[in-house]
Amino acid sequence: MRETRTPLPDLAAVAVYGATIAARLRPGDVVALEGGLGAGKTTLARAIISALGHADEVPSPSFTIIETYPSPPLRLPVVHADFYRLERPEECAELGLEEYREGAVLIAEWPEHAGGFSHEPACLAIASGNGGGKRRGRADCDCPRRGRLARAHAMNTLPDGLAAFLAEAGWEGAAISPLPGDASFRRYFRLSRSDGARAMLMHAPPPHEDPAPFLAVARWLSAHGMRAPAILAAAPEAGFVLTEDFGNDRMRDWLETHPEHERAAYEAAVAALAALHRLPPGPFPPYDMATYQREAALIVEWYCPAQGLEVDTAGFAAAWEEVLSPLVARQQPGVTVLRDYHAENIMLLGGQPGAPQGLIDFQDALVGHPAYDLVSLLQDARRDVPAPLEDAMLAHYAALTGADSADFRADYARLGAQRNAKIVGIFTRLKVRDGKPRYLALIPRVWAALERDLAHPALAPVARWFDANIPPALRAANGAMLP
């Protein structure tokens, strides 16, 4: 059993806390809100329900006992219950609670009056109370699924030192809204001032994260005419970076509602890459053989054990050495490689495909081969890119840069296989080590791209290793995780 305490000194902190809890919820989860009268249970319930998409007032269910919120408009259906007036837990059945709960999230105030929910495997117990004049929360977690919700509890507080940083940066009193996170320890918030100004706050806390590389790459890109977000303020020793807000038009999301502009959006993204590659390489570390090997090995380090496979690791490294050696020799002097240049990390400034490409998530930039970011874009782990569009964009890049050779196409396949093997390993690690299973659903798309890359003659040594070490049935299922 683990207990953590989270200070919630004001309504803004409660809103942030509720929003991050909401982001982790799934059907069947229970948020059990404990604490005495006036402890803030309903306030927190309102924050969670609002973060799930309810735009109107959230009434207290003190008299109705149960209030329901359907999906849509909420991301998930919610049952908000206040069991204070129950005299016996059996009264829950009379109220039809189980029918209301089916497929929904239950937010329960006074859960002990309903017999409690701590026996359920997806229950997060939060005890609200007043300590030193500040509300505090307690997460009670003792099983893997409850751990998912408990991590939300741990991540929901505003970072220490934030108020002082914002005051120094001229953003004191700004409204703070948390944004969905990624697979790292970084957290993101949107700030809004009363004068209408907006900014993005990244918190990359040491020792897990270091914002210095982000700052260095952002400043280099901006100095060379690329559209990285402007740095408004930074305190890297505390993990804080305040940047320009690029808005909400992320390429992947924008294309969901504007699919007719898919080709134009990808042409603009390829043109931005071509412009980047015409620049001299940045002052960043090299994408060398050791790095390629270390990344590719993630598939044997994490995915293969998760599947119960014992594989030839020495043979794996030898096959990649043979395959990548010609590429490493050809990538001199190299170009700046952003490493995660795909539809989730490209912002369409102005909300149209022909507008400048806003770049984000580039802190891991290296100097390497120009085909790498093309692979990131056109063999996207999170979005299907049709094969004809992939071919057309490779031809578009060749027309812009002159990189139209058999060697370049072979290197594209080499880097596709290397990157996709790495991603399969990373997504498995996120599930096995970090308790983030949602990335497993992306593995079949990545594996399908990996198989296409392995079919290129340049990948023959690596393809033979896969044939000898990964069972045909598993490969036929596109590498999907076994039950």
Side-chain angles (χ1 to χ4, degrees):
M1 192 80 69
R2 200 165 61 231
E3 178 178 308
T4 59
R5 290 206 152 188
T6 302
L8 301 174
D10 52 36
L11 290 178
V14 174
V16 170
Y17 183 46
T20 313
I21 293 289
R24 297 273 179 143
L25 291 175
R26 301 176 188 164
D29 287 343
V30 179
V31 180
L33 301 176
E34 304 168 354
L37 291 169
K41 300 185 296 298
T42 302
T43 301
L44 179 53
R46 286 172 174 150
I48 296 171
I49 294 168
S50 296
L52 287 170
H54 186 70
D56 298 323
E57 181 183 358
V58 178
S60 169
S62 298
F63 295 100
T64 59
I65 301 181
I66 290 176
E67 293 282 347
T68 61
Y69 299 87
S71 174
L74 271 65
R75 181 175 68 82
L76 297 168
V78 171
V79 176
H80 180 198
D82 184 331
F83 297 118
Y84 180 74
R85 294 196 298 120
L86 295 191
E87 296 181 358
R88 297 173 292 108
E90 292 77 11
E91 293 181 60
C92 288
E94 299 171 12
L95 292 168
L97 179 63
E98 288 305 313
E99 288 78 8
Y100 285 120
R101 286 190 61 188
E102 186 173 354
V105 170
L106 172 62
I107 302 176
E109 300 184 42
W110 300 97
E112 63 274 17
H113 289 207
F117 300 90
S118 61
H119 62 284
E120 297 193 15
C123 175
L124 174 68
I126 301 175
S128 299
N130 293 315
K134 296 182 179 180
R135 288 197 177 106
R136 295 184 180 273
R138 184 185 73 217
D140 182 5
C141 50
D142 60 0
C143 74
R145 196 162 182 222
R146 194 175 304 168
R148 165 177 55 84
L149 295 176
R151 278 191 299 276
H153 167 89
M155 293 177 64
N156 265 296
T157 58
L158 294 175
D160 291 340
L162 176 59
F165 171 73
L166 294 181
E168 178 71 20
W171 286 78
E172 185 175 16
I176 304 173
S177 301
L179 297 174
D182 57 14
S184 71
F185 288 94
R186 293 186 297 274
R187 299 168 61 197
Y188 299 90
F189 304 86
R190 171 166 278 142
L191 306 185
S192 302
R193 276 194 323 216
S194 58
D195 63 1
R198 298 197 312 180
M200 295 294 295
L201 172 71
M202 178 177 72
H203 185 226
H208 303 294
E209 298 281 347
D210 178 7
F214 174 89
L215 293 168
V217 179
R219 287 164 175 155
W220 184 88
L221 290 170
S222 296
H224 288 81
M226 307 300 293
R227 279 296 278 124
I231 306 300
L232 306 180
E237 68 285 352
F240 293 121
V241 178
L242 190 66
T243 74
E244 172 187 6
D245 185 354
F246 275 166
N248 297 315
D249 290 319
R250 189 171 61 165
M251 179 174 164
R252 179 192 173 191
D253 302 333
W254 190 86
L255 287 177
E256 288 183 3
T257 54
H258 301 83
E260 70 277 10
H261 294 303
E262 182 179 57
R263 184 182 180 105
Y266 275 91
E267 285 180 343
V270 169
L273 267 189
L276 176 64
H277 295 168
R278 284 191 286 270
L279 298 172
F284 312 124
Y287 217 148
D288 55 18
M289 178 65 80
T291 305
Y292 286 132
Q293 285 274 21
R294 183 175 64 254
E295 292 178 347
L298 291 170
I299 194 172
V300 298
E301 182 180 353
W302 291 98
Y303 176 81
C304 292
Q307 297 285 21
L309 302 176
E310 294 185 7
V311 299
D312 176 12
T313 56
F316 184 85
W320 280 109
E321 184 79 23
E322 183 177 352
V323 164
L324 291 174
S325 290
L327 177 147
V328 172
R330 274 196 292 270
Q331 71 178 23
Q332 305 301 327
V335 299
T336 298
V337 177
L338 303 179
R339 300 181 77 191
D340 276 312
Y341 186 75
H342 52 73
E344 282 199 353
N345 288 336
I346 297 172
M347 306 300 295
L348 301 184
L349 307 183
Q352 53 185 343
Q357 304 285 304
L359 306 177
I360 60 175
D361 202 11
F362 43 66
Q363 60 278 345
D364 296 323
L366 298 174
V367 174
H369 197 287
Y372 189 93
D373 280 342
L374 280 171
V375 168
S376 301
L377 178 68
L378 303 177
Q379 295 188 13
D380 196 329
R382 296 166 175 81
R383 185 179 191 278
D384 290 324
V385 179
L389 180 61
E390 181 182 11
D391 290 340
M393 292 304 101
L394 286 171
H396 182 49
Y397 179 82
L400 293 171
T401 64
D404 187 16
S405 68
D407 283 344
F408 188 87
R409 288 296 185 112
D411 288 346
Y412 177 84
R414 289 180 170 100
L415 291 173
Q418 186 271 349
R419 177 175 169 81
N420 289 318
K422 172 182 74 171
I423 292 174
V424 169
I426 289 173
F427 286 173
T428 308
R429 183 177 66 190
L430 286 168
K431 190 268 183 184
V432 172
R433 188 190 70 183
D434 302 333
K436 299 179 179 180
R438 66 187 179 93
Y439 294 92
L440 296 184
L442 304 177
I443 285 181
R445 178 186 290 115
V446 179
W447 196 279
L450 172 60
E451 294 283 8
R452 294 196 300 272
D453 293 319
L454 292 175
H456 194 286
L459 273 294
V462 174
R464 286 193 294 269
W465 184 93
F466 273 82
D467 291 340
N469 288 271
I470 309 293
L474 185 56
R475 293 181 65 177
N478 282 338
M481 295 294 289
L482 297 176

